[in-house]
Amino acid sequence: MKVGILGAGQLARMIALAGYPLGLEFIFLDPSSDACANRLGKHLHGDYNDPKLLAQLAEQADVVTYEFENVPADVAEFLTSHTQVYPPSKALAVAQDRLIEKTFFNDIGIPTPAYAPVNSLAELQSVMANIGYPAILKSRTQGYDGKGQSVLKSEADLPQAWELLQGVPAIVEAFVPFQREVSIIAVRSRTGEIVFYPLSENLHRGGILRVSESRYGDDEQTQAEVYVSMLMTELNYVGVLALELFDVDGRLVANEFAPRVHNSGHWTIEGAETSQFENHLRAIAGLPLGSTAPVGYAGMVNFIGGLATDEEVLNIDHAHLHLYDKVPRKGRKVAHVTVRATEQNQLQDALKKLSELADQVDDS
């Protein structure tokens, strides 16, 4: 079976690496000539909406998926009429617009922070009486890793925050006084079977994920599973989905979802019976889903903008290095390191040492 992937970055690279033991082949469509996954399969070099390349992808791929949610939804819709595409294009359309996403959450019964759409500075000033301070102003589309966002602490922040968005449609969200940020990675098969990974507890800085830790047996696991099941069922979803949540005194509030494999699930490569990448391929290929059971205690540290030496990383017990073959630059994810240990204290020690290394070379 040949799998087509829209995008050829590190997530596509990890999907392909998980697929080769299953006998799968890969073809990537990506506008970047040096995309880091292109050596793992055929690379169609060009825009995502190039009709000739899309026709070639549809003809050669038995099934098509995508590695990030900013692929144009109409591209996924076009491909759906020519080949199998998973996850469905509806998931892309919902995830690409924060207002549509928040409304969708609320419509199916998943709680979110208070929010309001804003299309002008005057609208922003008007709705803040109900939203309150602090709050976050975000572009409705194209934002990721903290891009297109401004924190609003008082009325004085509004003009500059609006100016930074350069007039694009936006959404303002009330600040949630959370104790921690968590995410749940789930997989849904073509037949509707859903399996769940243990909750991940996540640490962000500057809007970018820095550390994730698997939390097997977490008190909020069941609540998270209910929400992600509702979401996947409503979307008739196939593949891996990540739902990011705020934990507010034991009550989970949805932040956003990613219709793809996710950074906070990288620990599954060494820390679960079946990684999120392999299970994504199993789901979209119509194969039985693999066990999501944890293997020991697991976590992950991102390297942003710069790299420690291989020796420095691998000298840390229980560390597994994953390089992306990307040139380091400011704010760019260039590698991650997973940790799998037999004891909780071993995991914590390794994550602490890796975080210190990552901070030393951080250029975010």
Side-chain angles (χ1 to χ4, degrees):
M1 176 179 281
K2 183 167 286 187
V3 178
I5 304 181
L6 295 168
Q10 69 263 21
L11 296 179
R13 176 186 175 97
M14 286 182 269
I15 290 172
L17 289 171
Y20 277 105
L22 298 176
L24 302 177
E25 298 179 34
F26 295 88
I27 179 170
F28 308 98
L29 173 56
D30 193 290
S32 175
S33 60
D34 62 349
C36 66
N38 62 17
R39 68 178 63 185
L40 296 174
K42 184 175 182 179
H43 180 205
L44 303 179
H45 178 214
D47 292 337
Y48 293 118
N49 56 6
D50 185 312
K52 292 183 179 179
L53 294 181
L54 288 174
Q56 189 175 348
L57 181 66
E59 179 182 357
Q60 297 183 19
D62 298 296
V63 62
V64 173
T65 189
Y66 39 87
E67 69 153 359
F68 72 119
E69 58 268 40
N70 287 329
V71 171
D74 58 352
V75 167
E77 290 176 9
F78 168 81
L79 289 169
T80 299
S81 64
H82 294 82
T83 188
Q84 300 177 102
V85 178
Y86 302 114
S89 58
K90 180 180 179 181
L92 271 182
V94 173
Q96 285 176 350
D97 188 313
R98 287 189 169 100
L99 177 60
I100 295 174
E101 180 184 44
K102 287 291 192 299
T103 303
F104 188 81
F105 280 146
N106 288 175
D107 285 347
I108 64 174
I110 298 176
T112 66
Y115 64 92
V118 289
N119 296 294
S120 67
L121 176 58
E123 279 191 6
L124 176 60
Q125 292 168 328
S126 175
V127 301
M128 289 310 296
N130 292 324
I131 297 296
Y133 296 97
I136 303 175
L137 180 67
K138 303 177 180 180
S139 60
R140 283 177 51 175
T141 62
Q142 297 295 319
Y144 63 95
D145 286 345
K147 297 177 176 64
Q149 300 185 20
S150 295
V151 176
L152 309 176
K153 296 181 180 179
S154 70
E155 186 175 359
D157 295 330
L158 303 187
Q160 183 178 6
W162 183 254
E163 184 178 352
L164 287 173
L165 288 182
Q166 299 182 329
V168 301
I171 181 173
V172 62
E173 301 175 9
F175 176 76
V176 176
F178 59 87
Q179 281 72 53
R180 57 178 185 155
E181 295 177 274
V182 298
S183 58
I184 185 164
I185 310 288
V187 196
R188 189 172 186 266
S189 73
R190 292 189 189 182
T191 60
E193 176 192 4
I194 303 177
V195 295
F196 312 94
Y197 287 96
L199 212 63
S200 297
E201 186 170 327
N202 306 318
L203 174 64
H204 291 81
R205 188 170 69 248
I208 302 176
L209 180 65
R210 307 294 170 157
V211 182
S212 285
E213 182 179 342
S214 172
R215 303 294 295 178
Y216 179 68
D218 193 277
D219 289 344
E220 313 312 328
Q221 179 77 28
T222 299
Q223 188 179 168
E225 288 183 6
V226 169
Y227 289 160
V228 77
S229 295
M230 294 163 59
L231 183 60
M232 298 180 98
T233 301
E234 189 70 23
L235 291 169
N236 196 22
Y237 197 87
V238 176
V240 164
L241 180 147
L243 176 59
E244 298 182 51
L245 302 145
F246 300 117
D247 183 352
V248 185
D249 297 324
R251 175 176 175 266
L252 296 182
V253 177
N255 180 25
E256 60 188 21
F257 79 92
R260 55 171 171 80
V261 291
H262 194 256
N263 200 175
S264 68
H266 287 358
W267 62 264
T268 64
I269 299 172
E270 278 81 27
E273 290 281 357
T274 312
S275 76
Q276 65 165 338
F277 302 100
E278 181 179 338
N279 254 339
H280 182 70
L281 289 168
R282 288 188 183 210
I284 68 173
L287 299 170
L289 300 182
S291 170
T292 57
V295 180
Y297 297 89
M300 182 277 310
V301 174
N302 270 331
F303 278 74
I304 313 295
L307 287 166
T309 66
D310 295 0
E311 290 78 11
E312 287 175 309
V313 171
L314 297 178
N315 193 46
I316 296 174
D317 290 340
H318 315 295
H320 302 264
L321 177 60
H322 295 264
L323 298 170
Y324 300 160
D325 194 22
K326 293 166 72 171
V327 177
R329 68 167 182 246
K330 186 177 179 65
R332 192 182 208 187
K333 294 175 183 173
V334 291
H336 76 266
V337 182
T338 58
V339 177
R340 184 187 66 207
T342 56
E343 297 179 10
Q344 181 71 33
N345 65 323
Q346 294 173 336
L347 172 66
Q348 295 299 326
D349 181 62
L351 291 177
K352 181 176 183 294
K353 291 176 180 177
L354 288 166
S355 295
E356 291 171 351
L357 271 184
D359 287 345
Q360 289 171 16
V361 297
D362 185 356
D363 188 20
S364 59

